[in-house]
Amino acid sequence: MTARPERVVENLNHALHERLRADPRLYVLGEDIADPYGGAFKVTRGLSDADPGRVIATPISENGIAGVASGLALAGDAAIVEIMFGDFAGLAFDQVLNFASKSVSMYGRPHPMRLVVRLPSGGGRGYGPTHSQSLLKHFIGIPGLSLFELSPFHDNRAVLARMLDLGEPCVFVEDKVLYTRRQATGGRLDDLFDYGFLGAEDVGPAHVYVDDGGDVDCLLVAPGGVADRAVAAMRELLLHHEISCRLVVPSRLYPVEAEALVSAARRASYVCVVEESTAGGTWGAEVAHVLHERLWGRLRRPVRLVHSADSVIPAAVHLEREVLVQAGTIRDAVLADLRAERSPV
Amino acid sequence: MTDHLATPTIEKAPDSPPAAADLATMLLIRHFELALLDLFARGELHGTTHTCLGQEYVPVALAPLLTARDYVFSNHRGHGHYIARFGDPAGLLAEIMGRAGGVCHGVGGSQHVFRDRYLSTGVQGESLPVATGVALHLKREEPGALALAYIGDGTWGEGAVYEALNMAALWRLPLLVVVENNGIAQSTPTTAELAGTIGGRAAAFGCAHLRVENTDPAEIRAVAGPLVERVREGVPLVLEFVTNRLGPHSKGDDTRPAAELSRVRAADWHARGSGAEFAAADAAAAARIAALVAEVAARPPAVWSRA
Ligand SMILES: Cc1ncc(C[n+]2csc(CCOP(=O)(O)OP(=O)(O)O)c2C)c(N)n1
């Protein structure tokens, strides 16, 4: 029997253990993260037993702990903060927006700030309006702040190391539904799809494809949390509608890694960006802007955005499903666009 | 043991003139601030600036209690804090005027200054959790050093203050909170903005508190010094100065009634200064600042190289 791949939560947990061991100046802070509880989603399990001095369970003070982490980073340490539910990042926003990210540059010379704010995010679990949001869009376009998202394709050992090496604060969005999934391994996703990385490094965007070299009808761009839904849509589009898609899943979402996206988009004349954010002022709009700017005239249609409805996230399962992006939402959007294109005017 | 929780007060002492060195720094800060208001009035500065007129003695009193290893977190009213620490009015003036040689190359301006272990920022209360994080760092890496954060009375309205005090007390961190209680926040008197007392709030977190009504640096040091030493051992302290903001909040915005303004002016340490020595020191500081303004104004604009 071959060992099954790690669950995403295990991978993240192992990555945290490894970082703490590798970097004696790293702290991990958050509410209820200490053992034996090990965090609301068990991401920090075992960490405080391994290093009680640098793994600190804090009071319920999101603003305060983001500030404490910033102070550690300012003094040359590094810090990873868990915001128990990403929704509560609103309470920590000032520290991220006005202190941590600005301190990198506002004093007239670069000052490194090694800081990662982890946000367990997203819906699909019935937690209701204040515990289910994807707040990514609210952190876009802040000078000195990078946004990453957890993905089953990316090994968190490399991703965490990359974030901490950047020397500027990072927000790490972790879609909660991913925790119990398994990491992709070995380049094979399932019976239909393979995956790899654009560029040499496995921290670059991942891509999922049937035929690595070929052109496709549609390029899907999606962060890690919705990658599964995008793959399900790709499967249906291929098997039932003969529409071929390729999926790109960036690890760093912002600043947008334009070169990789642009070269992937050159192999398709239609691009659809998928995200779980509710509509309006989203990451997808930023990606669309980058692609329009670079590929205007080559794309056959405007970049399509697929996101959740402009709505709070309801608690009841059936209502939640109506609001959040589903595989069917993606499939329908692509079908509608490509059918409209194929039918004579 | 709860003796450190008692709230002693250094009462107003009969006026004794500050020692010459302290007086020189206080006067340097005084004339620096007056010069800024003058530059504004002449349209030579833009943006905003908050002078510490009347409060100069606070950082001067504290400076010798600190070492180069201690961090100082200043706020919007921080020129005195900076000058008392570094004795560098030129770097600060160039920063405020956007000229070459500014401590932060003109990017930070009056309210955002970072040099060595001194940092200011313009969001009220924001620096307290940051100072707490630095105190956590110091406790582990450099025992015996402390983090000092300056705040005003009005800033006790911010939740960040309480989150920080809670963690600092809980984790026994070397955090010193210096409150410049000047009786007003922008236009709002303390009585309309603060319920209870600052001492009461410190006590709620088990933090030591000392209230200082005196303006003489030497006397302040004598009483505050031992408590600051305890901060170094992980006993956070709220050190509250009952002081007076002599000037406007920023430039021309003073709505206080005439009676209040005369009370504030009467309490000014500078107004109580007298004698030939005082006059000579005052004239020397004024002349030094005047020369500095002329010199810095003639410098080329600051250049920000982002790399
Ligand atoms: C979070 C925040 N809110 C409002 C302001 C605008 N502001 C700057 S100074 C100030 C008054 C602060 O009062 P206090 O803490 O008493 O200090 P003082 O000005 O009296 O020294 C205000 C409201 C700010 N800088 N930050």
Side-chain angles (χ1 to χ4, degrees), chain A residues 30-32 57-65 84 88 91, chain B residues 163 166-167:
Chain A
E31 294 155 21
D32 301 291
T58 68
I60 306 171
S61 306
E62 287 75 15
N63 179 12
I65 53 186
M84 184 185 279
F88 312 149
L91 292 156
Chain B
E163 296 190 9
N166 186 41
M167 286 185 276

Side-chain angles (χ1 to χ4, degrees), chain B residues 35-124:
Chain B
L36 287 186
L37 289 180
D38 182 52
L39 284 166
F40 261 111
R42 301 205 320 253
E44 308 220 354
L45 285 183
H46 63 204
T48 190
T49 203
H50 310 83
T51 66
C52 65
L53 293 167
Q55 306 177 183
E56 297 89 343
Y57 65 92
V58 174
V60 172
L62 294 176
L65 300 181
L66 304 177
T67 76
R69 290 162 64 225
D70 297 330
Y71 275 79
V72 171
F73 290 86
S74 178
N75 59 1
H76 62 296
R77 206 174 291 291
H79 306 155
H81 307 157
Y82 179 88
I83 292 171
R85 178 151 226 210
F86 298 113
D88 170 37
L92 184 60
L93 185 63
E95 181 60 31
I96 295 170
M97 297 185 78
R99 304 302 161 106
V103 221
C104 297
H105 306 291
V107 184
S110 165
Q111 301 186 70
H112 315 92
V113 173
F114 188 17
R115 172 176 166 188
D116 302 317
R117 294 185 170 200
Y118 174 98
L119 179 146
S120 67
T121 186
V123 180
Q124 296 306 324

Side-chain angles (χ1 to χ4, degrees), chain A residues 269-323:
Chain A
S269 49
Y270 168 68
V271 180
C272 172
V273 188
V274 183
E275 60 197 329
E276 194 173 298
S277 283
T278 58
T282 65
W283 169 74
E286 179 70 20
V287 172
H289 164 71
V290 167
L291 294 178
H292 286 145
E293 201 170 49
R294 302 283 293 271
L295 297 176
W296 185 249
R298 274 203 82 256
L299 294 173
R300 287 214 306 271
R301 305 181 58 85
V303 173
R304 155 71 80 154
L305 304 186
V306 172
H307 34 57
S308 301
D310 176 14
S311 167
V312 298
I313 319 286
V317 181
H318 66 291
L319 299 177
E320 193 184 29
R321 206 177 291 134
E322 284 173 22
V323 166

Side-chain angles (χ1 to χ4, degrees), chain B residues 50 76-77 122-124 152-155 158 182 184-186 249:
Chain B
H50 310 83
H76 62 296
R77 206 174 291 291
V123 180
Q124 296 306 324
D153 46 284
T155 299
E158 287 291 349
N182 56 18
I184 190 165
Q186 196 144 344
H249 168 67

Side-chain angles (χ1 to χ4, degrees), chain A residues 27 64 77 94-95 107 109, chain B residues 103 114 120 126 137 140 163:
Chain A
Y27 288 75
D77 292 334
D94 173 59
Q95 288 291 345
Y107 296 107
R109 65 192 91 75
Chain B
V103 221
F114 188 17
S120 67
E126 182 179 69
H137 162 87
R140 184 187 170 91
E163 296 190 9

Side-chain angles (χ1 to χ4, degrees), chain A residues 41 83-89 119-138 149 173-177 225-226 229 275-278 308-309 311-317 319-321 323-326:
Chain A
F41 297 100
I83 302 289
M84 184 185 279
F85 280 80
D87 309 62
F88 312 149
L119 306 182
S121 298
R125 298 177 55 148
Y127 286 124
T130 63
H131 289 61
S132 305
Q133 300 166 96
S134 299
L135 295 194
L136 178 81
K137 67 180 181 181
H138 300 290
E149 182 157 325
V173 175
E174 302 171 8
D175 200 309
K176 301 190 281 284
V177 299
V226 285
R229 284 167 265 179
E275 60 197 329
E276 194 173 298
S277 283
T278 58
S308 301
S311 167
V312 298
I313 319 286
V317 181
L319 299 177
E320 193 184 29
R321 206 177 291 134
V323 166
L324 296 180
V325 165
Q326 307 294 320

Side-chain angles (χ1 to χ4, degrees), chain B residues 147-159:
Chain B
L148 181 168
Y150 282 102
I151 61 171
D153 46 284
T155 299
W156 288 78
E158 287 291 349

Side-chain angles (χ1 to χ4, degrees), chain A residues 162-248:
Chain A
R162 181 182 180 197
M163 288 192 285
L164 289 167
D165 285 348
L166 270 181
E168 61 181 45
C170 296
V171 167
F172 192 39
V173 175
E174 302 171 8
D175 200 309
K176 301 190 281 284
V177 299
L178 282 182
Y179 289 143
T180 53
R181 306 272 166 79
R182 302 216 174 248
Q183 291 283 132
T185 52
R188 189 90 237 228
L189 194 60
D190 54 28
D191 56 323
L192 203 51
F193 296 111
D194 291 322
Y195 76 92
F197 296 92
L198 298 173
E201 294 189 64
D202 60 4
V203 288
H207 65 146
V208 178
Y209 52 84
V210 172
D211 166 15
D212 191 10
D215 288 350
V216 288
D217 299 313
C218 164
L219 177 75
L220 290 171
V221 181
V226 285
D228 271 13
R229 284 167 265 179
V231 170
M234 282 165 70
R235 171 178 290 272
E236 274 201 54
L237 287 164
L238 185 64
L239 298 182
H240 302 299
H241 306 279
E242 292 178 16
I243 291 174
S244 63
C245 303
R246 172 187 301 267
L247 167 67
V248 172

